[in-house]
Amino acid sequence: NAGVTQTPKFQVLKTGQSMTLQCAQDMNHNSMYWYRQDPGMGLRLIYYSASEGTTDKGEVPNGYNVSRLNKREFSLRLESAAPSQTSVYFCASSEGTGWETQYFGPGTRLLVL
Amino acid sequence: EDQVTQSPEALRLQEGESSSLNCSYTVSGLRGLFWYRQDPGKGPEFLFTLYSAGEEKEKERLKATLTKKESFLHITAPKPEDSATYLCAVQEGGSYIPTFGRGTSLIVHP
């Protein structure tokens, strides 16, 4: 099992460009999550999906959109990147439809110039 | 005011020098408290889940305990490979949004 995988590992964007961060899990988990992690701050939830076909906003959803493509895949899209979105993005998954133990991917490091 | 506060922010220990990390929280109706370990450049790795005051969990040199207001992660006779950032997160009953602390960076010197 690969667990949770994320692509790309690193990306540089110019302000205003768009991109999609990909996440996939092979653990047959129902719930998936997108977080961002900034220096000196805790992980902050951007969006989550409690089950296939549903998505909900987290703490910091502005500037992002998500798609739960199927049970395995959950993507995060930046339509018009801003320097404030420079961060490390983590995808996670959990087995149930509530928030239990989460399994994290290796992260995507995004730099917006 | 942060709902989850971890202390100290950074801790340096000598190999074999036991210590504790603290995670205090102010959420009401705690559903669960989680400890994760994060190595540089990697995603958090799950360590423990605690659900009720008085509960304890152990794994190798680590022991997590929970009271009504805080949790401790005790590290007994640490080794250099225990060096990492330790994250605490809490889930309030009825909420899907977890709250993470800022973490404690632990360095264990040989």
Side-chain angles (χ1 to χ4, degrees):
Chain A
N1 283 351
V4 179
T5 57
Q6 293 182 237
T7 56
K9 291 184 179 180
F10 182 71
Q11 184 73 46
V12 179
L13 292 178
K14 294 181 179 178
T15 297
Q17 288 185 318
S18 63
M19 78 162 296
T20 299
L21 282 64
Q22 306 287 352
C23 173
Q25 52 91 9
D26 62 2
M27 296 174 282
N28 200 35
H29 284 173
N30 287 302
S31 298
M32 297 185 74
Y33 313 81
W34 276 106
Y35 291 89
R36 61 179 288 172
Q37 186 174 42
D38 301 294
M41 302 188 72
L43 284 160
R44 292 182 293 170
L45 185 65
I46 304 172
Y47 270 94
Y48 65 96
S49 171
S51 62
E52 186 178 354
T54 67
T55 60
D56 286 285
K57 295 178 181 179
E59 181 184 356
V60 288
N62 290 345
Y64 305 95
N65 286 300
V66 291
S67 296
R68 184 75 183 267
L69 304 171
N70 47 56
K71 193 171 185 178
R72 291 186 63 250
E73 298 172 288
F74 189 38
S75 63
L76 178 72
R77 182 160 179 85
L78 287 69
E79 291 291 352
S80 179
S84 61
Q85 294 178 304
T86 293
S87 188
V88 181
Y89 292 86
F90 290 100
C91 177
S93 69
S94 65
E95 185 174 358
T97 55
W99 183 65
E100 305 108 340
T101 301
Q102 296 188 353
Y103 298 86
F104 286 80
T108 293
R109 283 148 186 80
L110 176 66
L111 175 62
V112 183
L113 301 175
Chain B
E1 180 181 339
D2 289 350
Q3 289 185 301
V4 181
T5 303
Q6 291 189 246
S7 61
E9 290 186 10
L11 181 62
R12 293 177 178 269
L13 299 174
Q14 290 296 127
E15 185 171 1
E17 180 186 2
S18 301
S19 188
S20 297
L21 312 182
N22 178 263
C23 172
S24 63
Y25 59 92
T26 58
V27 299
S28 59
L30 181 74
R31 179 172 177 176
L33 185 142
F34 301 77
W35 282 100
Y36 290 85
R37 168 192 172 127
Q38 185 174 25
D39 293 301
K42 296 189 177 181
E45 176 186 348
F46 170 75
L47 293 174
F48 303 108
T49 306
L50 301 167
Y51 294 105
S52 57
E55 189 174 1
E56 298 182 352
K57 295 271 182 77
E58 287 189 67
K59 179 180 180 181
E60 296 180 354
R61 295 176 292 282
L62 300 177
K63 179 180 178 181
T65 61
L66 181 65
T67 71
K68 288 187 178 180
K69 293 185 177 181
E70 59 190 348
S71 176
F72 291 94
L73 184 65
H74 306 279
I75 304 176
T76 301
K79 298 181 178 182
E81 52 261 43
D82 294 322
S83 297
T85 295
Y86 291 85
L87 304 175
C88 170
V90 300
Q91 185 190 9
E92 197 169 7
S95 173
Y96 271 99
I97 300 178
T99 302
F100 278 81
R102 302 183 184 191
T104 292
S105 174
L106 172 66
I107 297 176
V108 182
H109 296 284

